[in-house]
């Protein structure tokens, strides 16, 4: 599934051919979507598992639409969402969303919603803070909240109850990646911090790198160019042919398309 220009499209794996419109039609008016994390954690498809059900939510401007995908797409129900949402993560019956100001938990079975914590607790409301939601484990989420002096990371359950301790950063992370039991974050100055989920302590800090001549430079607040612009994690990892192994795992630089190039908004 990919979302592009507020339309959710469906493709087959591994060919990436569009699914026939006679089977699944694109879903329109999509703000974002969230596939059940349990389904994302399944092992690679085989003949025996190729028709397992995949559940997902589509966030529209004022509603949450729930679907199930098997041989065909099935619509389940719609839950009103007056304030909308720009980000969503789902595991089982629990959906964690972020609207313009607040993180909220949604019980999909009970169709109920309650606020958890502001995205920004700072008095200066002119600063736009990007929300972040990461699924840590069964019925556990990590959400980030800006305090004005730094960012705290809260671990919460699907009921909104806090668990563990909190994580802290001197600035608001630009990217968050989970590789249990560690959380890796990219900060605005280009440095990378790695925290232990179990102890909430910092276990490693990788200093910022300055790019010599990047193709499309990203500048830090002090005007210096930096080379680290994003961190991306992969739930399913990647496959390497067994006879080639490390030969196919060498680091390779890839030029990125930027500016006005049309790319999918999310996958």
């Amino acid at each position: 599934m990919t979302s592009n220009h507020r339309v959710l499209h469906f493709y087959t794996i591994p060919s990436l051919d569009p699914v026939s419109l006679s089977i699944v039609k694109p879903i329109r008016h999509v703000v974002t979507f969230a596939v059940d994390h349990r389904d994302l954690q399944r092992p690679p498809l085989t003949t025996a598992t190729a028709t397992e059900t995949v559940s997902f939510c589509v966030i529209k401007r004022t509603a949450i639409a729930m679907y199930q995908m098997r041989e065909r797409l099935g619509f389940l129900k719609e839950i009103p969402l007056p304030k909308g949402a720009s980000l969503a993560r789902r595991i089982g019956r629990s959906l964690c969303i972020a609207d313009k100001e607040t993180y909220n938990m949604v019980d999909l079975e009970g169709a109920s919603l309650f606020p958890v914590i502001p995205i920004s607790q700072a008095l200066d409301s002119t600063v736009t803070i990007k929300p972040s939601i990461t699924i840590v484990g069964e019925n556990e989420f990590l959400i980030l909240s800006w305090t004005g002096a730094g960012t705290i990371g809260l671990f919460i359950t699907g009921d909104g109850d806090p668990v563990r301790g909190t994580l802290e950063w001197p600035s608001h992370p630009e990217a968050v990646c989970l590789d249990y039991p560690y959380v890796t974050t990219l900060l605005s100055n280009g440095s990378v911090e790695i925290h232990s989920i179990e102890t909430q302590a910092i276990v490693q800090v990788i200093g910022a790198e300055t790019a010599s001549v990047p193709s499309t430079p990203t500048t830090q607040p002090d005007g210096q160019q930096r080379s680290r612009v994003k961190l991306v994690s992969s739930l399913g990892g990647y496959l390497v042919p067994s006879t080639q192994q490390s030969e196919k795992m060498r680091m390779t630089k890839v030029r990125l398309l930027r500016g006005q190039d049309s790319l999918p908004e999310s996958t």
Side-chain angles (χ1 to χ4, degrees):
M1 287 182 282
T2 65
S3 175
N4 189 23
H5 299 296
R6 295 188 178 271
V7 179
L8 190 62
H9 301 273
F10 298 84
Y11 299 86
T12 60
I13 294 176
S15 65
L16 295 181
D17 293 327
V19 177
S20 172
L21 295 180
S22 63
I23 299 176
V24 179
K25 293 183 178 179
I27 301 174
R28 302 186 180 278
H29 310 297
V30 175
V31 177
T32 187
F33 68 98
V35 179
D36 191 336
H37 193 72
R38 296 172 180 173
D39 297 331
L40 294 176
Q41 289 182 306
R42 290 177 185 164
L45 292 176
T46 65
T47 303
T49 62
T51 57
E52 288 189 7
T53 300
V54 175
S55 302
F56 63 97
C57 297
V58 171
I59 311 300
K60 300 190 175 183
R61 189 170 61 87
T62 58
I64 302 170
M66 297 178 60
Y67 293 88
Q68 280 189 340
M69 181 71 175
R70 197 164 184 174
E71 290 88 355
R72 292 182 177 274
L73 180 65
F75 172 76
L76 300 180
K77 65 179 180 181
E78 194 167 271
I79 301 173
L81 190 65
K83 293 185 178 181
S86 60
L87 180 65
R89 295 290 183 267
R90 174 185 175 179
I91 184 163
R93 64 183 292 169
S94 300
L95 179 71
C96 185
I97 61 174
D99 58 31
K100 293 181 178 180
E101 298 178 348
T102 309
Y103 292 106
N104 305 275
M105 290 301 309
V106 180
D107 180 346
L108 296 173
E109 293 185 8
S112 60
L113 177 150
F114 58 90
V116 178
I117 192 173
I119 297 170
S120 174
Q121 305 175 51
L123 298 178
D124 182 5
S125 59
T126 61
V127 179
T128 301
I129 300 299
K130 179 181 177 182
S132 174
I133 305 171
T134 304
I135 294 178
V136 177
E138 187 67 27
N139 198 39
E140 185 177 353
F141 301 83
L142 170 64
I143 56 178
L144 307 190
S145 179
W146 172 247
T147 65
T151 292
I152 58 173
L154 290 85
F155 296 94
I156 60 170
T157 67
D159 297 321
D161 298 324
V163 291
R164 309 180 193 271
T166 58
L167 303 181
E168 296 183 2
W169 295 273
S171 62
H172 195 71
E174 296 192 358
V176 179
C177 290
L178 173 73
D179 186 7
Y180 198 91
Y182 302 107
V183 171
T184 303
T185 53
L186 174 66
L187 302 184
S188 57
N189 65 354
S191 64
V192 175
E193 292 191 358
I194 302 173
H195 287 77
S196 167
I197 293 176
E198 302 293 345
T199 65
Q200 295 85 57
I202 295 180
V203 296
Q204 186 176 359
V205 176
I206 304 173
E209 289 184 348
T210 301
S212 53
V213 186
S215 56
T216 304
T218 299
T219 51
Q220 302 181 50
D222 58 7
Q224 289 186 322
Q225 297 175 348
R226 62 181 176 85
S227 59
R228 296 186 186 127
V229 295
K230 191 70 174 177
L231 288 177
V232 179
S233 60
S234 174
L235 275 175
Y238 52 90
L239 301 178
V240 178
S242 60
T243 58
Q244 296 171 319
Q245 294 183 353
S246 60
E247 179 185 348
K248 293 297 182 181
M249 296 178 66
R250 292 193 299 263
M251 184 178 296
T252 302
K253 292 185 178 181
V254 179
R255 293 178 63 86
L256 301 178
L257 298 176
R258 300 180 185 274
Q260 300 301 316
D261 299 290
S262 178
L263 296 175
E265 296 171 1
S266 59
T267 58

